[in-house]
């Protein structure tokens, strides 16, 4: 613990960008030490797009390691520079939290959240769930949280949380801000029954109808664990008998690029749910505040439904040296890189983690994601190193 404290103190004094890794999980936070208290540290954090994204309070017992250098931090510094140079959009960063480091930081953060009404995210010891909600009361050793479940509006709870059980508290980030805005209409939020259409060979008709209405959907790929895509079939000519292209929304309701899915690779499609309502509300707020997409992305693409979309997308990416993310049959892992040497049967893809390009046939491709901000950043990094 002494080594961790010394590392955090060095990062604070020298204003160093660091990664803070948590115990018993692969999760970590990237940012600058804002305040160093007696039981915890407050980081000003950055998201994977290189944008400032709120803050996080981490209790010392939750910290496994503090990292000052490495490939990930080099890459994050690059992303932050690109985000600044290309004027990526996001919330205007708030002023640093003016807490007294000699007093309990968690208690001060709880009082701040209660006063502001901002949603916070809390991670507790011995609990795998992440609790999001608003602080309604604060005592010397605990807080009361009005929990909000963006996946299920009927889940209404008030929980007393002992400070001694708190490992992490996230605050003031984009998604939490959107949730705060949504909760201003909490009394008007109406639960809807989740409507799921299983893939029985009729998805082409469903997607064609969705293309006309602009309806937001969630597509659940087969054998992909908990992964799913939220988006709309809003691109022109984005459906044929074999493939659909979804114009995606990320978790903050921003444009998240596109994904081309083989219809046979889709397990089911959700056409109504509370989470779809949540993303729609986030998307509407982002659009109203002119934050709907990053300026370097194209959210208005068209496609030719008569073409083999997979082959067309790969040929285009190879020609313009664009990054795509490919999932192949019977594999959960994705290949993300620039396609090379496409022919009638397949292509190779250069993946940064592999020494040699990986050979892929078109028949085994189940989905291709492209046109999102992380692809743009990887392309920028690849071009820089040439």
């Amino acid at each position: 613990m002494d080594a961790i404290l010394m590392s955090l103190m060095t990062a604070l004094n020298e204003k160093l960008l660091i990664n803070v890794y948590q115990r018993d999980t692969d999760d970590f936070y990237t940012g600058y030490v804002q305040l160093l208290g007696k039981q915890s540290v407050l980081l000003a954090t950055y998201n994977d797009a290189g944008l400032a994204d709120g803050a996080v309070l981490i209790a010392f017992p939750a910290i496994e390691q503090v990292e000052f250098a490495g490939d990930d931090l080099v890459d994050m510094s690059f992303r932050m520079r690109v985000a600044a140079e290309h004027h990526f959009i996001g919330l205007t960063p708030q002023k640093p939290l003016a807490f007294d480091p000699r007093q309990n930081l968690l208690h001060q953060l709880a009082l701040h959240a209660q006063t502001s009404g901002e949603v916070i995210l809390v991670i507790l010891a011995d609990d795998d769930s992440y609790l999001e909600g608003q602080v309604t009361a604060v005592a010397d050793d605990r807080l009361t949280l009005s929990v909000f479940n963006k996946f299920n509006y009927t889940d209404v709870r008030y929980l007393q949380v002992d400070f001694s059980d708190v490992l992490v508290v996230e605050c003031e980030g984009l998604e939490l801000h959107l949730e705060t805005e949504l909760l201003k209409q909490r009394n008007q939020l109406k639960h809807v029954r989740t409507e799921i259409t299983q893939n029985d060979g009729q998805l082409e008709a469903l997607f064609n109808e969705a293309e006309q209405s602009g309806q937001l959907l969630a597509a659940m790929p087969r054998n992909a664990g908990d992964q799913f895509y939220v988006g709309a079939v809003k691109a022109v000519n984005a459906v044929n008998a074999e493939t659909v292209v979804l114009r995606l929304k990320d978790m903050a309701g921003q444009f998240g690029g596109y994904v081309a899915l083989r219809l046979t690779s889709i397990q089911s499609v959700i056409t109504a749910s509370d989470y779809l309502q949540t993303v729609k509300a986030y998307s509407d707020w982002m659009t109203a505040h002119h934050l709907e997409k990053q300026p370097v992305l194209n959210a208005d693409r068209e496609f030719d439904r008569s073409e083999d979309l997979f082959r067309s997308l790969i040929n285009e990416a190879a020609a313009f040296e664009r990054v795509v993310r490919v999932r192949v049959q019977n594999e959960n892992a994705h290949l993300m890189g620039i396609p090379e040497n496409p022919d009638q049967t397949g292509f190779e893809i250069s993946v940064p983690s592999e020494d040699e390009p990986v050979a892929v046939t078109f028949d085994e491709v189940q989905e291709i994601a492209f046109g999102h901000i992380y692809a743009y950043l990887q392309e920028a990094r690849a071009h820089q190193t040439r």
Side-chain angles (χ1 to χ4, degrees), residues 191-261:
H191 170 68
V192 299
R193 185 179 67 181
T194 299
E195 299 287 347
I196 302 178
T197 300
Q198 299 295 334
N199 188 356
D200 60 359
Q202 304 299 317
L203 290 186
E204 183 183 1
L206 183 152
F207 285 129
N208 276 315
E209 182 178 336
E211 184 176 19
Q212 299 301 315
S213 67
Q215 178 184 9
L216 205 61
L217 307 166
M220 324 294 286
R222 299 185 193 276
N223 305 317
D226 295 331
Q227 181 189 19
F228 61 95
Y229 294 107
V230 173
V233 194
K234 293 186 72 172
V236 177
N237 294 331
V239 188
N240 61 29
E242 297 182 353
T243 315
V244 61
V245 180
L246 296 181
R247 184 180 184 272
L248 298 177
K249 295 290 184 181
D250 66 15
M251 290 185 292
Q254 275 189 318
F255 170 65
Y258 302 90
V259 64
L261 296 162

Side-chain angles (χ1 to χ4, degrees), residues 7 46 111 120 140 150:
S7 296
Y46 287 77
L111 288 172
I120 61 173
D140 289 340
K150 58 193 172 188

Side-chain angles (χ1 to χ4, degrees), residues 14 16 24 28 55 59 63 71 74 79 163 189 191-192 195 199 235 238 242 244 247 289 299 372 383:
E14 299 185 19
L16 300 175
D24 305 320
F28 64 93
I63 300 175
D71 291 342
V74 170
R79 291 173 181 229
F163 288 158
L189 298 180
H191 170 68
V192 299
E195 299 287 347
N199 188 356
E242 297 182 353
V244 61
R247 184 180 184 272
H289 291 80
H372 49 83
H383 295 155

Side-chain angles (χ1 to χ4, degrees), residues 10-23:
T10 299
L12 174 63
N13 293 334
E14 299 185 19
K15 297 180 173 58
L16 300 175
L17 184 70
I18 59 173
N19 284 333
V20 177
Y21 291 84
Q22 301 174 66
R23 297 184 186 277

Side-chain angles (χ1 to χ4, degrees), residues 53 91 132 150 173-180 251-252 282:
D53 193 33
L91 292 180
E132 297 178 2
K150 58 193 172 188
L174 176 58
E175 289 182 50
L176 295 174
H177 178 80
L178 291 166
E179 198 165 324
T180 302
M251 290 185 292
Y282 289 179

